[in-house]
């Protein structure tokens, strides 16, 4: 028996219809007459990384900063009940039901339109359900019967899926590490949830503030001038112009006066190039361009757009909106051409170039009973789909002439059935014009312009390195939405500007690599590359830990934000500098060595600090708390990497 697990009930229902599994089991799952396929669903949030409260013993604050856990905890979601995290009875019964299904399964299949992060959580779900079975993945691009059966027949398994899941694990780890450290650092400055942050937010905010400030700088207006000639040859219109642009109007005026002498006359020109041309006016939408166009044409912010688009996908009306590409794979060629005969010349790509997702297109289903938002987003996608397949065929001709000693060039378009060869032609000048243009800085920063610039940086060429469905770490629209929702960006009638809260945030981190968008892009590119090679994940995660540790340390040792005093202790790492005491840590301003003042639920005393600095270990301390809320006794030591940890003992003494 093959067990198919979908991340929503709507997807499970669509898969059941496509695979002819219309019978229902006693648990409400779908199956076929022979029982060879069972289709079930679980909520996408059933499995998740543990919240930082789990590491802090149920507290809303992590006092031990910088916070680098020895291992990252993932599992079935749990609620904080009295300081302890417990899995609900309903979720326990879901896992038990899955375990019973897995025991009967020969293969466990994940059916989803999401990327590496979802694949990682599916791997955890299989571990929780004790799935010692072969696992595979159905890459759902559309919930049409044809697409689902294609995904089922071509489901993927093996090392590639394992590498995609490992890439997702690292993204989850980086997201958690950033959020816990940055949020908690600012929580110690300004209070709980003062600056909710995701990995891209600070870098995007830095980019926005710089773009906004640059618009307010008044640059000298530079005007340039050009001259154009219009004319006819063999009854066809053409536009020609010199390649030179003039800074002075008087220079352009002289050329204009010389050209005017030839107005109405016929000169000898030359056809230098003849090229067949197929012009595609518009590309298919992907997630980035869908969000941009929705802001511009509908006035929808990204969260509103994606909510409607996800519902349209689950209703089977459009292909998956969580896509990083605008092309279509070759296996859709016959299907698309049947619906859009004009798409015969559309540049379909080989399967191996876009294996997991493709541009957003509508399906053959008739949209019924849609909400207003769904209807407007559907019409937007439908219109763009039709425009993308509407090509214009012609012949592009390059023309060159010399008038009054000045070379002029231009192009003309002929019908695709016209005959034209390079050679001399008679060109009749019918008009001359002089024009000017200047570089003007826009007065306001629009949300769509900023989102477009951010997408251009983060999603280079519109494709992620592994062409996976877009993950949260590349979702620039969600980033802009968070900045607006968290009060860091003001949005009004399509224009955006940073708030004072944003300025306060950047005053702390503007000089740190946390605001370096180039560094952020290089990090996510490196992790995405894990899905394509066998490079181990631990070195990548360790490198990220080593990167974020000193940055967070600089935040919690900021003398402008925290009171501080110089202690009498000498740094045990560099030996040539005194230690400074801050509310959360004792740190060396020279080499970066630090000792947290709060460690595993215990506030270190002056005696504990003195023992660590002088002897690199302490006497046994009672009062540490484990993740289950139980106290234990242990000694602290400074290890060979100059980090504070527990001494190596075989057992702990619990109360």
């Amino acid at each position: 028996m093959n067990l198919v697990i979908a991340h929503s009930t709507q997807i499970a229902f669509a898969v059941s219809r496509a695979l002819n599994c219309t019978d229902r089991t006693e648990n409400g799952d779908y199956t076929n007459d022979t029982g060879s396929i069972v289709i079930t669903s679980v909520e996408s949030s059933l499995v998740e990384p543990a919240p930082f409260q789990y590491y802090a013993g149920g507290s809303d604050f992590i006092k031990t900063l910088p916070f680098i856990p020895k291992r990252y905890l993932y599992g079935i979601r749990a609620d904080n009940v009295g300081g302890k995290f417990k899995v609900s009875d309903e979720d326990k019964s879901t896992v038990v039901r899955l375990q019973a299904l897995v025991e009967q399964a020969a293969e466990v299949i994940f059916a989803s339109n999401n990327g590496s992060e979802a694949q990682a959580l599916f791997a955890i779900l299989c571990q929780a359900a004790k799935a010692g079975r072969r696992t595979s993945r159905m890459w759902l691009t559309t919930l049409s019967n044809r697409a689902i059966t294609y995904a089922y027949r071509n489901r993927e398994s093996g090392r590639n899926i394992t590498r995609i899941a490992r890439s997702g694990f690292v993204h989850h780890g980086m997201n958690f590490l950033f959020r816990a450290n940055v949020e908690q650092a600012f929580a110690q400055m300004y209070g709980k949830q003062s600056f909710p942050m995701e990995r891209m937010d600070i870098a995007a905010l830095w980019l926005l503030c710089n773009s906004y400030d640059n618009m307010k700088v008044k640059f000298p207006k530079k005007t340039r001038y050009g001259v154009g000639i219009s004319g006819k040859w063999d009854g066809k219109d053409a536009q020609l112009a010199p390649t030179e642009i003039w800074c002075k109007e008087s220079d352009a005026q002289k050329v204009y006066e010389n050209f005017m002498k030839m107005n109405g006359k016929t000169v000898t020109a030359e056809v230098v190039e003849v090229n067949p041309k197929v012009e595609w006016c518009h590309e298919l939408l992907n997630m980035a361009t869908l969000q941009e166009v929705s802001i511009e044409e509908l006035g929808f912010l990204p969260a509103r757009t994606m909510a409607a688009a996800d519902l349209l996908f689950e209703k089977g009306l459009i292909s998956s909106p969580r896509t990083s590409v605008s092309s279509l794979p070759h296996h859709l060629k016959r299907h698309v051409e049947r619906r859009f005969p004009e798409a015969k010349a559309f540049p379909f790509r080989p399967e191996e170039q876009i294996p997991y997702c493709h541009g957003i297109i509508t399906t053959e289903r008739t949209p019924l009973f849609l909400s207003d938002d769904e209807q407007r987003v559907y019409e937007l996608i439908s219109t763009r789909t039709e425009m993308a397949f509407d090509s214009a065929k012609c012949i592009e001709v390059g023309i060159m002439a010399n008038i009054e000693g000045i070379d002029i060039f231009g192009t003309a378009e002929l019908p695709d059935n016209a005959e034209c060869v390079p050679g001399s032609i008679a060109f009749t000048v019918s008009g001359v014009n002089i024009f000017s243009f200047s570089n003007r800085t826009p007065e306001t920063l629009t949300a769509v312009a900023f989102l477009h610039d951010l997408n251009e940086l983060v999603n280079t060429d519109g494709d992620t390195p592994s062409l996976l469905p877009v993950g949260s770490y590349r979702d620039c629209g969600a980033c802009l939405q968070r900045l607006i929702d968290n009060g860091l960006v003001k949005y009004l009638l399509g224009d955006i500007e940073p708030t004072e809260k944003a300025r306060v945030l950047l005053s702390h981190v503007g000089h740190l690599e946390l605001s370096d968008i180039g560094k952020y892009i290089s990090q996510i590119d490196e992790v995405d590359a894990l899905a394509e090679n066998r490079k181990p994940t631990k070195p990548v995660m360790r490198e990220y830990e080593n990167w974020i540790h000193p940055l967070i340390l600089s935040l919690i040792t900021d003398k402008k934000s925290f009171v501080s005093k110089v202690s009498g202790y000498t740094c045990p790492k560099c030996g040539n500098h005194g230690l400074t005491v801050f509310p959360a840590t004792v740190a060396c301003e020279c080499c970066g060595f630090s000792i947290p003042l709060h460690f595993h639920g215990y506030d270190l005393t002056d005696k504990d600090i003195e023992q660590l600095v002088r002897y690199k270990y302490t006497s046994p301390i009672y009062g540490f708390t484990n993740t289950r809320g139980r106290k234990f006794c242990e000694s602290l030591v400074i290890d060979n990497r100059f980090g504070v940890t527990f001494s190596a003992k075989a057992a702990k003494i619990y109360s």
Side-chain angles (χ1 to χ4, degrees):
M1 179 264 285
N2 288 345
L3 174 63
V4 180
I5 301 177
H7 70 259
S8 75
T9 55
Q10 292 86 347
I11 291 178
F13 177 77
V15 172
S16 71
R17 292 299 178 265
L19 301 183
N20 294 319
C21 296
T22 55
D23 295 340
R24 302 298 295 268
T25 68
E26 58 182 8
N27 291 323
D29 300 323
Y30 301 95
T31 187
N32 54 11
D33 294 339
T34 60
S36 60
I37 301 176
V38 173
I39 301 166
T40 188
S41 65
V42 296
E43 295 180 35
S44 56
S45 59
L46 177 66
V47 179
E48 59 185 15
F52 64 77
Q53 288 89 346
Y54 190 92
Y55 300 86
S59 172
D60 288 332
F61 289 94
I62 294 178
K63 296 183 179 179
T64 306
L65 294 177
F67 171 64
I68 309 293
K70 290 184 177 180
R71 67 188 185 94
Y72 297 84
L73 305 174
Y74 304 84
I76 305 300
R77 63 187 173 195
D79 298 321
N80 189 347
V81 180
K84 296 182 180 181
F85 287 85
K86 296 182 178 180
V87 178
S88 68
D89 294 338
E90 182 180 357
D91 289 344
K92 285 181 181 178
S93 64
T94 299
V95 175
V96 171
R97 177 174 61 84
L98 282 175
Q99 287 176 337
L101 290 172
V102 166
E103 288 178 359
Q104 306 171 44
E107 181 180 352
V108 182
I109 306 164
F110 181 42
S112 175
N113 67 318
N114 291 320
S116 60
E117 292 169 305
Q119 193 65 40
L121 297 183
F122 170 69
I124 298 170
L125 179 64
C126 289
Q127 293 174 4
K130 300 178 180 179
R133 304 288 188 273
R134 175 187 177 185
T135 59
S136 57
R137 169 67 181 262
M138 288 173 58
W139 295 96
L140 297 181
T141 54
T142 321
L143 292 188
S144 64
N145 290 352
R146 182 180 182 278
I148 293 173
T149 53
Y150 179 87
Y152 184 76
R153 289 196 307 268
N154 296 276
R155 60 188 182 274
E156 191 171 2
S157 61
R159 292 180 177 177
N160 191 42
I161 289 297
T162 302
R163 289 194 292 267
I164 290 173
R166 290 194 300 121
S167 174
F169 282 131
V170 177
H171 277 303
H172 280 301
M174 287 183 171
N175 291 342
F176 165 77
L177 201 61
F178 184 94
R179 185 171 61 251
N181 278 277
V182 174
E183 283 190 21
Q184 295 302 298
F186 282 107
Q188 294 190 12
M189 295 182 193
Y190 297 101
K192 180 182 176 183
Q193 293 182 344
S194 50
F195 290 98
M197 284 286 118
E198 297 291 341
R199 264 201 297 166
M200 195 195 307
D201 294 4
I202 292 178
L205 191 61
W206 180 89
L207 177 67
L208 184 144
C209 288
N210 276 270
S211 300
Y212 183 82
D213 293 342
N214 288 337
M215 282 187 174
K216 300 305 176 184
V217 177
K218 299 297 182 181
F219 294 101
K221 183 179 179 180
K222 294 182 180 180
T223 303
R224 291 179 170 82
Y225 302 88
V227 179
I229 294 179
S230 58
K232 290 182 178 292
W233 63 281
D234 196 20
K236 306 169 186 69
D237 294 324
Q239 298 287 333
L240 307 180
T243 56
E244 187 174 356
I245 298 297
W246 293 273
C247 296
K248 295 181 179 180
E249 185 178 7
S250 58
D251 294 338
Q253 187 68 31
K254 293 177 183 178
V255 176
Y256 171 76
E257 292 172 356
N258 289 335
F259 284 174
M260 282 297 294
K261 297 175 183 177
M262 304 301 297
N263 194 14
K265 297 180 180 180
T266 300
V267 299
T268 300
E270 186 177 356
V271 173
V272 294
E273 192 175 13
V274 179
N275 291 318
K277 181 181 178 183
V278 178
E279 183 177 2
W280 298 95
C281 300
H282 298 278
E283 287 188 334
L284 289 172
L285 295 171
N286 56 29
M287 192 173 88
T289 54
L290 173 63
Q291 293 173 350
E292 293 169 17
V293 175
S294 293
I295 292 178
E296 189 171 29
E297 297 188 13
L298 304 180
F300 287 6
L301 284 174
R304 187 176 177 184
T305 298
M306 296 311 298
D310 284 335
L311 287 173
L312 291 173
F313 167 71
E314 293 189 346
K315 292 178 180 180
L317 298 174
I318 64 170
S319 60
S320 173
R322 302 192 175 274
T323 173
S324 57
V325 293
S326 302
S327 304
L328 295 178
H330 197 270
H331 76 265
L332 289 180
K333 182 176 175 64
R334 291 182 60 187
H335 173 69
V336 171
E337 289 178 1
R338 182 171 56 81
R339 295 181 60 206
F340 303 96
E342 62 274 18
K344 290 183 179 180
F346 187 83
F348 292 89
R349 290 169 61 180
E351 314 295 325
E352 61 272 12
Q353 292 184 11
I354 45 174
Y356 305 117
C357 56
H358 57 68
I360 305 174
I361 59 175
T362 57
T363 66
E364 294 180 288
R365 294 187 185 180
T366 303
L368 297 172
F369 309 113
L370 300 182
S371 67
D372 183 61
D373 283 5
E374 292 169 17
Q375 184 67 42
R376 295 176 69 184
V377 172
Y378 178 82
E379 290 175 356
L380 180 69
I381 295 171
S382 177
T383 301
R384 180 56 70 94
T385 302
E386 294 174 1
M387 292 168 63
F389 293 135
D390 186 14
S391 63
K393 298 180 182 179
C394 63
I395 295 175
E396 187 176 61
V397 180
I399 305 171
M400 180 180 69
N402 185 286
I403 299 179
E404 295 296 314
I406 298 177
D407 290 330
I408 58 176
F409 303 88
T411 60
E413 292 185 352
L414 306 180
D416 61 329
N417 58 354
E419 295 183 3
C420 184
V421 295
S424 297
I425 60 172
F427 182 81
T428 303
V429 179
S430 60
V432 183
N433 69 301
I434 184 171
F435 57 89
S436 64
F437 58 92
S438 59
N439 297 325
R440 294 189 178 183
T441 304
E443 296 182 357
T444 60
L445 179 62
T446 64
V448 65
F450 171 71
L451 184 56
H452 176 76
D453 291 344
L454 188 60
N455 276 316
E456 285 289 305
L457 289 172
V458 177
N459 301 303
T460 306
D461 297 327
D463 294 347
T464 62
S466 56
L467 299 176
L468 293 170
V470 178
S472 63
Y473 48 90
R474 288 190 186 269
D475 189 347
C476 299
C479 173
L480 175 60
Q481 187 76 58
R482 285 192 302 270
L483 295 177
I484 294 172
D485 293 344
N486 292 330
L488 298 168
V489 171
K490 184 186 298 183
Y491 175 80
L492 180 63
L493 300 177
D495 294 337
I496 56 175
E497 64 175 282
T499 63
E500 288 304 314
K501 184 178 180 181
R503 301 293 185 179
V504 170
L505 173 65
L506 286 186
S507 69
H508 293 287
V509 299
H511 63 290
L512 300 178
E513 276 191 315
L514 292 171
S515 62
D516 185 351
I517 195 164
K519 184 70 176 179
Y520 171 76
I521 295 169
S522 67
Q523 288 170 344
I524 61 175
D525 283 347
E526 184 178 12
V527 180
D528 274 350
L530 294 175
E532 299 177 330
N533 55 51
R534 300 183 183 182
K535 184 178 179 180
T537 58
K538 286 186 178 180
V540 178
M541 197 66 220
R542 178 61 60 85
E543 182 181 351
Y544 188 82
E545 293 172 352
N546 294 337
W547 172 79
I548 201 171
H549 186 282
L551 301 180
I552 301 304
L553 186 62
S554 67
L555 283 178
I556 62 174
T557 58
D558 183 358
K559 292 184 177 180
K560 295 180 181 179
S561 304
F562 296 102
V563 295
S564 62
K565 64 178 181 179
V566 178
S567 70
Y569 306 129
T570 301
C571 175
K573 183 177 180 180
C574 64
N576 57 6
H577 200 279
L579 297 178
T580 304
V581 180
F582 294 90
T585 187
V586 178
C588 174
E589 298 180 47
C590 179
C591 66
F593 170 79
S594 65
I595 299 174
L597 292 179
H598 184 87
F599 196 77
H600 280 260
Y602 174 78
D603 293 320
L604 273 65
T605 65
D606 292 340
K607 181 180 178 182
D608 300 328
I609 299 294
E610 182 180 3
Q611 288 181 341
L612 273 175
V613 173
R614 288 189 176 182
Y615 311 114
K616 295 188 178 181
Y617 64 87
T618 68
S619 303
I621 298 173
Y622 177 78
F624 297 116
T625 307
N626 67 3
T627 55
R628 296 182 179 180
R630 301 175 67 184
K631 291 186 176 181
F632 63 92
C633 181
E634 185 61 281
S635 298
L636 292 180
V637 298
I638 297 177
D639 59 22
N640 55 4
R641 297 176 60 192
F642 289 94
V644 177
T645 186
F646 293 117
S647 60
K649 283 190 175 181
K652 294 181 175 65
I653 305 172
Y654 291 93
S655 61

